[in-house]
Amino acid sequence: MYTPDLYNNEDPESIKTFLKENSFGILINQTNGKLCATHIPIELEINETGKEILQGHISKLNPQADGFAENDQVLAVFTGPHSYISSSWYDHENVPTWNYIAVHVYGRIKIVDKAAAIESLKKLVDKYEANSECPVRVENLSAKTMREAKGIIAFEIEIDEIQATKKLSQNRDDKNYANIITELEKTKNPQSIAVAKEMNKHRK
């Protein structure tokens, strides 16, 4: 991922937080000579050796899985808030641009056994059911319902490299920076407001 030095995020903790808060990613690999991509939750976890990994699953009917045996190299892409930035918001002439946060994780994928697959499903469901009034738990599902788990392929990704971009108008002076935040908040667009919130965290 091309990232100018000014926008390069090398803070491990903020990257970790971002991955946990924006875990619906895109899994990309090469299968039968073609690039394949699947939109799925991909969770940052710690394995038994204490190393950070990514966990997820796809349908057995998904042809993307055919490529895992041929080439274990994969890319997981995660995106956060993003918004158009109008150059009319500056006090000088300049070009429009786009603010965004994104993380690319490169690694090697391996298929895990049934027990590990069920455990990862439990963690996934518990995470997203945490605020539910009547939370569903995998442990409470019937044997009939759990038979559907046979239709998935669960995986772990050993992380080789992380590239993180946080492009939030860092190249603007305080006056224009503040004006961009104000204009983003005026849009009433949730993505734009989220970008404004991120910008507020980095410069008061």
Side-chain angles (χ1 to χ4, degrees):
M1 174 167 58
Y2 170 66
T3 304
D5 291 342
L6 183 61
Y7 307 131
N8 189 30
N9 181 10
E10 295 182 320
D11 177 21
E13 288 305 312
S14 73
I15 293 171
K16 185 186 300 185
T17 298
F18 176 86
L19 290 173
K20 288 184 175 295
E21 293 177 351
N22 300 274
S23 57
F24 192 75
I26 306 173
L27 180 68
I28 302 168
N29 76 336
Q30 190 172 64
T31 299
N32 299 322
K34 294 176 63 177
L35 288 174
C36 293
T38 301
H39 298 249
I40 49 172
I42 309 172
E43 300 291 330
L44 181 67
E45 297 288 351
I46 305 294
N47 67 11
E48 63 278 359
T49 66
K51 186 174 182 179
E52 289 182 343
I53 59 169
L54 295 177
Q55 286 184 339
H57 67 270
I58 62 174
S59 167
K60 285 183 177 179
L61 299 178
N62 188 335
Q64 183 176 21
D66 296 341
F68 297 159
E70 302 169 11
N71 183 350
D72 64 356
Q73 300 294 308
V74 296
L75 166 63
V77 174
F78 303 88
T79 58
H82 60 89
S83 181
Y84 176 74
I85 306 298
S86 171
S87 56
S88 69
W89 300 344
Y90 307 148
D91 63 2
H92 60 281
E93 183 179 50
N94 211 304
V95 294
T97 189
W98 210 278
N99 278 3
Y100 66 96
I101 303 175
V103 172
H104 287 193
V105 180
Y106 297 83
R108 286 162 287 152
I109 196 167
K110 71 171 184 178
I111 307 305
V112 300
D113 61 27
K114 181 180 178 181
I118 297 300
E119 189 59 33
S120 69
L121 285 176
K122 288 179 181 178
K123 289 180 181 178
L124 183 66
V125 172
D126 287 348
K127 174 182 177 179
Y128 291 102
E129 290 283 341
N131 296 319
S132 175
E133 290 185 10
C134 301
V136 172
R137 291 183 59 83
V138 168
E139 294 90 331
N140 298 333
L141 296 176
S142 67
K144 179 181 178 182
T145 297
M146 286 305 298
R147 281 199 291 270
E148 294 189 25
K150 295 180 180 179
I152 67 168
I153 296 173
F155 60 79
E156 292 182 353
I157 299 172
E158 183 176 340
I159 298 172
D160 291 330
E161 181 182 3
I162 295 178
Q163 298 175 355
T165 297
K166 187 177 284 188
K167 183 179 179 295
L168 298 173
S169 298
Q170 294 96 319
N171 59 332
R172 302 301 169 193
D173 60 32
D174 288 345
K175 177 183 177 183
N176 284 285
Y177 192 90
N179 200 52
I180 292 167
I181 292 173
T182 298
E183 295 296 335
L184 285 169
E185 291 172 340
K186 285 181 185 177
T187 66
K188 306 300 182 183
N189 180 292
Q191 289 280 354
S192 299
I193 292 171
V195 169
K197 184 178 179 180
E198 289 295 327
M199 290 178 66
N200 266 317
K201 291 179 184 178
H202 296 280
R203 197 186 298 182
K204 298 294 184 183

